[in-house]
Amino acid sequence: MSADLPSQHSENTHRWFWLPEDPHTAPDIMDALRRRLYIFALLFGLPVVLLVWLLEFQNATHNPAFNLLYPALLIVLLGTLYWLKSNRPLPPIERTMYVANAITFTVQFLTIRSTPSSEVILLLVTAYLMLLANTTIGYLMFGTRLAGYLSLGTFTLSVVLCSVMIIQTHPAALMISATRLQLSVAALLVLIHSLSWYRSIYTRIYSERLQMQLELYTDPLTELPNRRAAYRAIEHLLTEAGNGTSGSIILLDIDHFKRVNDQYGHPTGDSVLHHFAQLLRSSTREQDTPSRWGGEEFLIVLPATTLSQAAALAQRIRQTLNTTEHDTVGRVTASCGVTTLHSGDDLSRLVARADEALYRAKAKGRNQVVASQDALSTALEGHYLPPATSMNEPMT
């Protein structure tokens, strides 16, 4: 790890280890899972369709309609695989697959009349497998209710079509075997519907609980992790320290924040807090945890970070703040106290050292970065901490 920490990270990809995934990202996750499922199914289904076509072609009594049906289905499946691998939107290709499958098993049912009685059951098994596959796609595409109606409709239509075709041209005994198959398929359709219903209920409950956790560990004003989340991040840091991993924290305080509230009002003060939070968010890495500690105080938890690296980051934040004026208040400054993990540390000792360093930064005139008093503090003087501007002049 270099002495300088990465300073920029996209706000949209910033995550903290203690924070569950935002429930609003659930649709994106579901899309990714569906895409993987479709690709896996296609890699398995393509050879199967090709083999069925070849076997049908070798059959002396095969139906001429299959000479066009199976090649067309293979082309659709190959195009679907290409579409999915190209990361293109899912809905258009899902609808294409749904329609292609529906056409396939409908044609299969229509060919019952011209199929020898000895091969009808095999044809029905193939058709109903396609119907089950299409039903699964429907439950992935649509909500449980709409997919259930579509499943019921297509199954009812298949039963009617199958029965009419068999009764017209085949022995009555064949209808008994077809009915057994249809009852088995009906049971599978009920199972698929039940699983979809369970998934929708579970997803809703999980999303609600996830939202509650987000609210529990997020500061509503700055949208940073709150103090409760910072506690968890520090505990994680202490646990990792037991495995020999370094870690540091920075405690930051916006200078003369009461003056901002008194002179400009609390809404402007809130804007300053949000302004500062944005700076912390953009200045830290993905594994870091910038948090609102309370009031105008903020705390950054830095895993795998030495004292010198943490001090360099604090200095960079301080300097960036000095050169990034707030729209209303103008120049805003902050004082920073930095400390690193020591053997035998607990949460209170670690935070107390950072607080003591912050107190000394304020005592030195504010707008300062001060490291906790340890072996590295002397080395930091003048190397990472160039003379800071005093905050005695009135704010603009």
Side-chain angles (χ1 to χ4, degrees), residues 256 259 322 331 333 365 367 389-396:
H256 301 295
R259 183 188 302 174
N322 283 345
R331 183 167 175 259
T333 66
N367 195 16
T389 304
S390 176
M391 186 60 184
N392 293 326
E393 69 275 10
M395 296 185 66
T396 58

Side-chain angles (χ1 to χ4, degrees), residues 41 49 93 98-99 107 138 151 154 156 191 242 269 292 294 298 357 392-394:
V49 173
I93 204 63
Y98 192 86
V99 172
V107 170
S151 173
T154 54
T156 301
L191 178 60
R292 187 181 181 191
F298 294 78
N392 293 326
E393 69 275 10

Side-chain angles (χ1 to χ4, degrees), residues 60 71 74 127 138 174 185 203 207 221 253 265 276 365:
L74 282 171
L174 190 59
V185 171
T203 302
S207 296
L221 175 61
D253 185 275
F276 190 61

Side-chain angles (χ1 to χ4, degrees), residues 39-153:
I39 291 174
F40 175 79
L42 285 169
L43 291 176
F44 175 77
L46 275 166
V48 171
V49 173
L50 179 61
L51 182 60
V52 170
W53 178 38
L54 292 176
L55 291 174
E56 183 65 33
F57 190 76
Q58 296 294 325
N59 189 349
T61 60
H62 81 280
N63 194 302
F66 294 149
N67 292 337
L68 178 62
L69 179 65
Y70 286 116
L73 182 59
L74 282 171
I75 292 173
V76 170
L77 294 181
L78 286 171
T80 300
L81 183 61
Y82 173 77
W83 185 284
L84 294 171
K85 295 291 286 184
S86 302
N87 288 321
R88 299 186 182 185
L90 282 180
I93 204 63
E94 285 179 318
R95 297 188 191 102
T96 301
M97 283 194 297
Y98 192 86
V99 172
N101 282 343
I103 292 173
T104 300
F105 66 71
T106 301
V107 170
Q108 288 173 324
F109 285 126
L110 290 173
T111 59
I112 291 175
R113 179 183 297 175
S114 57
T115 301
S117 298
S118 60
E119 298 181 8
V120 167
I121 293 301
L122 179 59
L123 177 63
L124 288 179
V125 170
T126 305
Y128 276 115
L129 286 176
M130 291 293 294
L131 187 147
L132 288 171
N134 218 39
T135 298
T136 304
I137 294 174
Y139 278 105
L140 291 173
M141 286 175 57
F142 312 113
T144 300
R145 183 183 299 245
L146 177 57
Y149 286 139
L150 289 172
S151 173
L152 179 61

Side-chain angles (χ1 to χ4, degrees), residues 319-330:
Q319 291 171 341
T320 302
L321 183 64
N322 283 345
T323 57
T324 308
E325 292 192 348
H326 183 267
D327 292 339
T328 303
V329 178

Side-chain angles (χ1 to χ4, degrees), residues 196-237:
S196 179
W197 173 83
Y198 173 79
R199 185 200 66 169
S200 63
I201 296 298
Y202 175 82
T203 302
R204 179 176 60 81
I205 295 174
Y206 178 75
S207 296
E208 290 173 354
R209 291 182 178 178
L210 213 55
Q211 185 63 46
M212 290 175 61
Q213 280 189 288
L214 284 168
E215 293 172 357
L216 183 64
Y217 290 105
T218 304
D219 175 59
L221 175 61
T222 63
E223 298 180 349
L224 284 179
N226 58 18
R227 188 171 187 140
R228 185 182 289 108
Y231 283 149
R232 294 187 63 180
I234 294 173
E235 291 293 350
H236 182 78
L237 194 70

